[in-house]
Amino acid sequence: MLRYIRNLLAVTVAMMLWACGDDDRFWVEGVVDGLGTRGLQLLYESGNGGVHVEELQAIDGKFSVEGAAKDYTLAHLLTSDGRLVARMLVRNGQTLKCVFDIDNPYNIQIKGNNPSEEWAKFLRENHEVLRDGSHDDANRLILGYVDGHKEDLQSSALMLTQYYAVDDESRADSILALIAPEARPDALVAGYRRMVSRLNTAALEEKIRSFNIYNARGKRENYYPGRASYSMIYFSGAPGERRDTVTPVLHKLVDSLPKRRIQVLEVSMARDTSIWKRNWRADTTAWAQVWVPGGPANPDFARLDIPRLPYWILCDSLGVAVYRGSSLSVAVDSLRRRIHAKNI
């Protein structure tokens, strides 16, 4: 009997050692403060051209998930409705222990590999600039970090996920090229871009759905796309946004077309209601204005993948987006061409 127990213990220890040394899987486990019990997804690109989606269920915020990636890859932890919880770098043979915050993807703690630990530390220590500062301030902060960490993988992760490169992708690529080759492996860079391309394609195919949200007067604003031939949705709230160049154009648009042809809706994603209400009081608008908590990660709009602010989506009466982008003039031109072409 004693020999049997010793043998059983030996087998158990051997199995535990084998599991800990498994080089074919990685594990991510921890807790998401404020999440409760709900579904999560871990999205990552394994390096073979495919985006993997691991579905899991968090219980009282606690979760555990495993995947497989031979080389370092960027993983996104999302709620089941597409809200970003956190990003991290994962690779087979590692276990990441994490503490996340459902309301703040910059308030994160990660243990298990050095690149993810340092990346999380940078996000925590600089959350005010990265979350609420201007794009220029955030870019300067990131460039300063990258300049001092050219040999580190987290520099590539920061450039890929945090650097604001809209209309200046070539400069972002030239900065990324300054990072040591071993710290910006092709599989990581190409894999991340493939995943972003897939996510953006899915967002482009998303229809604008009806919703019901409180407006600035505290009343319910009922929106549905079938109310007019086209809807112009203005996602506002960026720091330093020049509203004085936007409101005259929108007033002219609303005044020049009948209500059955165009409806305009402003969805403020300002970081707090005081900014929104200050803007609202300064405007005499002829369109509905609503505010949503959580910005682009708000559950009603996360699936639309709003990449930056301000942002415009022009959709038809079925909710199909016919224009998405940062240019109001392009959105207005697109609308007028369509109305003229259909003679409506």
Side-chain angles (χ1 to χ4, degrees):
M1 184 65 179
L2 186 58
R3 178 180 296 178
Y4 171 78
I5 294 174
R6 281 201 299 263
N7 289 340
L8 182 60
L9 286 172
V11 171
T12 302
V13 171
M15 290 180 67
M16 291 176 62
L17 290 174
W18 173 81
C20 292
D22 186 358
D23 290 332
D24 296 327
R25 311 292 292 171
F26 66 80
W27 292 263
V28 181
E29 55 190 49
V31 63
V32 183
D33 291 335
L35 179 68
T37 298
R38 62 190 294 189
L40 292 172
Q41 296 177 327
L42 186 74
L43 275 67
Y44 63 95
E45 219 281 359
S46 64
N48 59 7
V51 176
H52 291 258
V53 182
E54 307 291 347
E55 305 278 353
L56 60 144
Q57 184 74 18
I59 307 297
D60 293 331
K62 297 177 181 178
F63 71 93
S64 178
V65 62
E66 64 180 78
K70 183 179 179 181
D71 298 309
Y72 270 119
T73 188
L74 276 162
H76 295 62
L77 185 67
L78 311 169
T79 60
S80 55
D81 57 10
R83 181 177 180 179
L84 178 67
V85 177
R87 298 185 182 98
M88 66 215 81
L89 288 155
V90 294
R91 186 176 65 179
N92 286 347
Q94 297 178 341
T95 298
L96 271 61
K97 305 282 188 178
C98 312
V99 178
F100 300 137
D101 184 340
I102 188 61
D103 294 320
N104 187 355
Y106 297 92
N107 182 25
I108 63 178
Q109 301 272 353
I110 300 178
K111 297 293 182 184
N113 69 49
N114 189 69
S116 290
E117 292 173 11
E118 292 300 319
W119 186 11
K121 179 182 177 182
F122 178 84
L123 295 181
R124 286 195 313 274
E125 293 179 349
N126 299 284
H127 71 277
E128 291 184 354
V129 174
L130 296 172
R131 192 180 194 186
D132 301 327
S134 69
H135 296 311
D136 289 341
D137 288 342
N139 282 355
R140 279 193 292 270
L141 182 67
I142 292 167
L143 290 178
Y145 182 88
V146 170
D147 187 58
H149 299 80
K150 293 189 178 73
E151 310 296 322
D152 299 328
L153 198 63
Q154 65 268 19
S155 291
S156 292
L158 273 172
M159 285 300 301
L160 291 169
T161 62
Q162 299 288 150
Y163 186 84
Y164 187 78
V166 176
D167 301 324
D168 197 11
E169 287 83 358
S170 59
R171 182 166 185 260
D173 284 341
S174 66
I175 295 168
L176 188 62
L178 298 176
I179 299 173
E182 60 273 16
R184 53 174 173 86
D186 291 339
L188 174 69
V189 176
Y192 176 75
R193 287 174 173 166
R194 278 194 296 267
M195 181 159 60
V196 168
S197 176
R198 169 178 158 163
L199 294 175
N200 286 346
T201 299
L204 286 172
E205 294 172 352
E206 280 281 355
K207 289 186 177 181
I208 305 296
R209 303 170 188 168
S210 302
F211 55 83
N212 188 291
I213 300 178
Y214 282 106
N215 63 23
R217 295 180 176 84
K219 297 181 179 180
R220 284 284 184 178
E221 189 67 44
N222 298 304
Y223 168 81
Y224 59 94
R227 187 176 290 160
S229 300
Y230 291 96
S231 297
M232 181 80 77
I233 304 181
Y234 167 31
F235 294 93
S236 66
E241 184 176 336
R242 292 293 304 277
R243 293 179 54 81
D244 57 338
T245 64
V246 172
T247 50
V249 176
L250 291 181
H251 276 298
K252 183 177 180 181
L253 181 67
V254 171
D255 292 342
S256 65
L257 294 170
K259 290 183 178 179
R260 68 182 184 277
R261 297 294 174 244
I262 182 66
Q263 62 176 329
V264 175
L265 174 70
E266 179 178 350
V267 180
S268 175
M269 294 184 167
R271 62 181 179 268
D272 57 51
T273 55
S274 63
I275 296 176
W276 171 50
K277 289 183 178 179
R278 184 168 64 246
N279 289 337
W280 172 68
R281 292 191 187 99
D283 292 339
T284 305
T285 59
W287 54 88
Q289 293 177 299
V290 298
W291 176 82
V292 295
N298 181 274
D300 284 317
F301 299 100
R303 60 190 171 76
L304 298 177
D305 191 29
I306 306 301
R308 52 196 173 272
L309 296 174
Y311 199 73
W312 306 89
I313 294 182
L314 176 66
C315 67
D316 64 16
S317 60
L318 298 177
V320 176
V322 295
Y323 172 78
R324 287 172 52 103
S326 299
S327 174
L328 174 57
S329 61
V330 173
V332 171
D333 288 346
S334 176
L335 170 66
R336 294 198 180 280
R337 283 198 309 273
R338 291 171 188 280
I339 290 178
H340 177 74
K342 293 182 178 181
N343 194 28
I344 58 176

